Amino acid sequence: MIQAINVTLRLGKRALFEDVNIKFTEGNCYGLIGANGAGKSTFLKILAGEIEPSKGEIVMSPGQRLSFLKQDHFQYDQYPVLDTVIMGNQRLYEIMKEKEEIYAKEDFTDEDGIRASELEGEFATMNGWEAESDAAQLLNGLGVDTEYHYKMMSELTGPLKVKVLLAQALFGNPDVLLLDEPTNHLDLDAISWLNEFLINFDNTVIVVSHDRYFLNKVCTQIADIDYQKIQLYAGNYDFWYESSQLMIKQMKEANKKKEEKIKELQEFIQRFSANASKSKQATSRKRALEKIELDDIRPSSRKYPYIDFRPNREIGNEVLTVTNLSKSIDGVKILDNISFVVGHDDKIAFVGSNTLAATTLFKILMEEMEPDSGSFKWGVTTQRSYFPKDNTALFKGSETIVDHLMPFSPVDDQQYVRGFLGRMLFAGEDGVKKVNVLSGGERVRVMLSKMMILGSNVLIMDEPTNHLDMESITALNNGLIKFPGVELFTALDHQFIQTIANRIMEITPDGRLIDKISTYDDYLENDEMARRRQVLSVNVEEEENTED
């Protein structure tokens, strides 16, 4: 159990939290949600003791251990991978290192023997003998192969470091587990594994995530930050969303009835206050009127952009034909002789662990990269807009947002462009911000504004939900569901893929293409069944070989 008691945090004159009282209990997974800037990550740091509140305190049950997912990818560069994971239980790691130092001594004394015996007892109590195998199991579950377990952290790529740090947070069965965006940079297999791990985790979990499917899958309660307070709701994210909308609707309906009653009383008072025979009734109604109070409905501080992609022209039957396309990068085959035809109703999600393959394919289709062999042909009615995964090169200039978008506008009018920026929550003077100082989320919203301005009938989007808050992801999701054109996209948001795609393509690690006309859930279910059949076949074959 971990509890916040009267917690207030002030940043200058602004109160981020004001007298927050909330208890997180064992056996529950809490999704901590709120608009950008509401203080989700900051509140996790307060719970972890990394930030001191201006007032109030954090209380944990005595003897319990808290684990917090670290975001510094370079902090452990001088340590081996397995050691980094075991550091998740700092006391256990300290015992291991002290033991090693004692046993390495050449002049081993009686005092060393006594100390070693004490450490061995504590080590056994903490299941220290299983530490390396437990760490390895976590790493394997997250997709970090055994070949990396004894490497130095400095030798790993960024995505692998993310997985190791997540394994560190999960290691040793912590009593309270704090996770800030744990699915960031994870592939879909690793996210699926983490889902199951947290569903079966018996202690307290508090997680911040923009992945709605993930929150729906693992959360038993939602802690909503709004107006410097935190309100608990039973259930997952979808239940919170529906119940919060229902509460607002009910309050509005109740207020409407009260307003009607107030108007009725006011009319009666106005008509009969001068009539002596009715004056007593008018006075009575005046008193009743004074007692009626309208509920204070405070709209959420969340702001949803309005995303609506409207093609300038209808797309024809011939959209895209890809024939025997191949590409190698640094001697590694990324695309191996792939072919497919895109129809005018297709919304295709590219999935799988080989994310570089989809990015490479998109760059080839947008003529930013040449294939080694093969060809592709776009239909004459197609107009394409491209959302690249890495947008750094697009925002190096010092022009304003409006000036950045004007070349793509069919109308030579800044107000026309500002209208699209307004939809994407760039209000007033935001339009004169320099593009080279924009945050990751602001860059994405500018790119989406550009795509809406262009009015293309084919959208190619490489992980467009990265850097977006929950509200923007929801708006983009809804916009793409309504879009009448063709979509080729990648995403790490399960719900995003499931609700948009009608066709799934997976490019395997060796560059081959698997193409299914299917929803994402059906694709995963069939893929899981195929894996089980493969495992069963291998087990049967091993048994037969053993019998022989």
Side-chain angles (χ1 to χ4, degrees):
M1 181 276 294
I2 188 169
Q3 183 175 8
I5 302 174
N6 296 323
V7 166
T8 296
L9 180 67
R10 294 190 175 276
L11 305 175
K13 295 182 179 180
R14 179 192 172 207
L16 195 59
F17 303 107
E18 193 78 59
D19 292 324
V20 169
N21 289 281
I22 188 168
K23 181 188 287 188
F24 302 98
T25 58
E26 185 178 349
N28 283 305
C29 179
Y30 298 85
L32 188 63
I33 64 171
N36 267 7
K40 300 183 290 293
S41 296
T42 301
F43 190 71
L44 286 187
K45 289 179 180 177
I46 291 173
L47 292 175
E50 294 188 0
I51 293 178
E52 282 291 324
S54 308
K55 189 182 76 172
E57 61 178 336
I58 302 298
V59 177
M60 268 186 68
S61 299
Q64 291 200 335
R65 185 171 68 86
L66 180 144
S67 185
F68 186 23
L69 174 61
K70 302 290 193 303
Q71 299 292 342
D72 186 349
H73 296 179
F74 305 101
Q75 183 177 349
Y76 301 93
D77 272 1
Q78 71 274 32
Y79 296 100
V81 168
L82 274 178
D83 280 22
T84 302
V85 175
I86 295 171
M87 283 181 194
N89 187 335
Q90 191 60 38
R91 178 55 190 155
L92 177 60
Y93 184 74
E94 289 169 358
I95 292 172
M96 289 175 64
K97 292 295 127 180
E98 189 176 351
K99 278 174 54 186
E100 287 176 10
E101 289 176 6
I102 290 175
Y103 292 137
K105 286 183 176 182
E106 293 182 2
D107 51 344
F108 191 85
T109 65
D110 291 343
E111 288 77 10
D112 290 331
I114 293 170
R115 180 58 181 159
S117 177
E118 292 172 350
L119 291 173
E120 290 290 3
E122 190 174 355
F123 185 71
T125 301
M126 299 177 75
N127 294 322
W129 296 111
E130 287 80 39
E132 285 201 6
S133 61
D134 289 346
Q137 188 175 351
L138 289 171
L139 290 168
N140 290 331
L142 288 166
V144 182
D145 293 337
T146 306
E147 63 181 287
Y148 297 106
H149 293 187
Y150 296 95
K151 289 182 181 288
M152 301 299 289
M153 285 288 285
S154 57
E155 299 178 65
L156 269 56
T157 61
L160 282 176
K161 284 183 177 180
V162 169
K163 292 182 176 182
V164 175
L165 294 178
L166 180 54
Q168 181 193 75
L170 303 178
F171 177 77
N173 196 38
D175 300 289
V176 177
L177 178 58
L178 308 181
L179 300 174
D180 192 358
E181 297 292 356
T183 62
N184 276 7
H185 309 294
L186 292 187
D187 54 73
L188 291 166
D189 285 340
I191 292 173
S192 178
W193 181 89
L194 181 60
N195 284 343
E196 293 305 314
F197 181 93
L198 294 179
I199 287 169
N200 295 306
F201 189 73
D202 293 329
N203 297 332
T204 305
V205 183
I206 306 167
V207 59
V208 172
S209 176
H210 288 140
D211 188 328
R212 298 158 297 166
Y213 179 85
F214 177 73
L215 292 177
N216 282 328
K217 193 84 172 173
V218 304
C219 290
T220 58
Q221 300 206 38
I222 295 295
D224 179 32
I225 303 177
D226 213 354
Y227 298 107
Q228 297 84 47
K229 302 290 186 184
I230 302 181
Q231 179 71 40
L232 270 182
Y233 295 82
N236 61 16
Y237 178 79
D238 279 351
F239 188 84
W240 163 81
Y241 182 79
E242 294 298 332
S243 60
S244 61
Q245 295 301 304
L246 181 61
M247 285 172 60
I248 293 173
K249 181 180 179 182
Q250 289 174 339
M251 290 176 70
K252 285 181 177 178
E253 289 175 351
N255 275 359
K256 186 177 180 181
K257 291 179 181 178
K258 290 178 182 178
E259 286 170 352
E260 291 171 355
K261 184 66 175 176
I262 288 171
K263 185 178 180 181
E264 179 186 324
L265 293 172
Q266 286 174 335
E267 289 175 353
F268 185 92
I269 292 166
Q270 191 173 5
R271 285 170 56 200
F272 296 112
S273 57
N275 187 323
S277 63
K278 299 282 188 178
S279 62
K280 189 174 286 188
Q281 292 179 12
T283 302
S284 173
R285 281 168 171 73
K286 189 174 182 180
R287 287 175 185 156
L289 179 63
E290 291 170 351
K291 292 179 181 178
I292 295 177
E293 294 181 3
L294 293 179
D295 293 322
D296 179 21
I297 300 178
R298 301 182 73 183
S300 171
S301 61
R302 292 172 174 80
K303 294 181 179 179
Y304 289 81
Y306 178 71
I307 299 177
D308 188 15
F309 301 104
R310 297 185 181 182
N312 294 329
R313 65 183 295 183
E314 189 174 342
I315 198 165
N317 289 327
E318 294 185 4
V319 179
L320 172 66
T321 301
V322 174
T323 307
N324 302 327
L325 210 62
S326 292
K327 179 68 178 179
S328 294
I329 297 178
D330 296 329
V332 178
K333 183 76 77 173
I334 304 299
L335 303 173
D336 187 8
N337 202 39
I338 68 170
S339 300
F340 59 91
V341 176
V342 176
H344 69 280
D345 293 322
D346 280 343
K347 291 177 168 53
I348 304 172
F350 288 81
V351 303
S353 59
N354 192 3
T355 57
L356 176 60
T359 297
T360 301
L361 175 63
F362 290 172
K363 286 182 177 180
I364 290 172
L365 295 178
M366 293 305 296
E367 300 182 357
E368 291 187 1
M369 184 182 286
E370 287 287 329
D372 296 336
S373 61
S375 63
F376 64 91
K377 182 181 179 182
W378 287 103
V380 294
T381 63
T382 61
Q383 296 173 317
R384 284 91 64 193
S385 287
Y386 177 41
F387 184 107
K389 185 186 297 187
D390 182 2
N391 57 45
T392 308
L394 304 177
F395 294 94
K396 286 185 175 179
S398 58
E399 72 270 21
T400 66
I401 297 176
V402 171
D403 290 339
H404 177 78
L405 292 177
M406 279 301 295
F408 308 103
S409 172
V411 180
D412 187 18
D413 182 0
Q414 286 198 355
Q415 289 306 119
Y416 179 80
V417 169
R418 283 181 178 274
F420 286 94
L421 289 174
R423 295 179 184 180
M424 296 306 297
L425 308 181
F426 289 104
E429 295 303 309
D430 284 346
V432 298
K433 270 188 176 181
K434 305 284 188 183
V435 296
N436 56 6
V437 300
L438 297 178
S439 68
E442 287 173 327
R443 287 181 180 185
V444 171
R445 287 189 279 126
V446 169
M447 292 167 69
L448 294 174
S449 299
K450 171 184 166 182
M451 296 181 87
M452 285 192 285
I453 290 170
L454 287 171
S456 302
N457 53 24
V458 178
L459 303 180
I460 301 176
M461 310 181 86
D462 199 356
E463 296 189 12
T465 61
N466 288 359
H467 305 293
L468 289 182
D469 58 23
M470 194 88 76
E471 293 70 42
S472 297
I473 291 172
T474 300
L476 176 59
N477 198 160
N478 292 337
L480 290 177
I481 290 172
K482 293 188 299 182
F483 177 62
V486 167
E487 298 166 30
L488 312 179
F489 70 97
T490 67
L492 296 179
D493 184 309
H494 184 115
Q495 187 168 334
F496 193 83
I497 300 172
Q498 170 61 19
T499 54
I500 297 171
N502 56 21
R503 185 174 175 184
I504 304 295
M505 289 189 183
E506 178 185 352
I507 303 176
T508 62
D510 58 358
R512 294 178 298 105
L513 181 70
I514 299 171
D515 185 2
K516 301 288 185 182
I517 306 296
S518 166
T519 66
Y520 186 50
D521 282 345
D522 286 345
Y523 169 80
L524 289 177
E525 184 177 345
N526 291 333
D527 186 51
E528 179 62 26
M529 289 173 64
R531 289 184 188 182
R532 288 178 180 174
R533 284 195 296 269
Q534 185 177 10
V535 170
L536 182 61
S537 175
V538 169
N539 290 341
V540 169
E541 186 176 335
E542 287 177 349
E543 287 178 7
E544 289 175 348
N545 291 337
T546 302
E547 290 174 3
D548 292 343

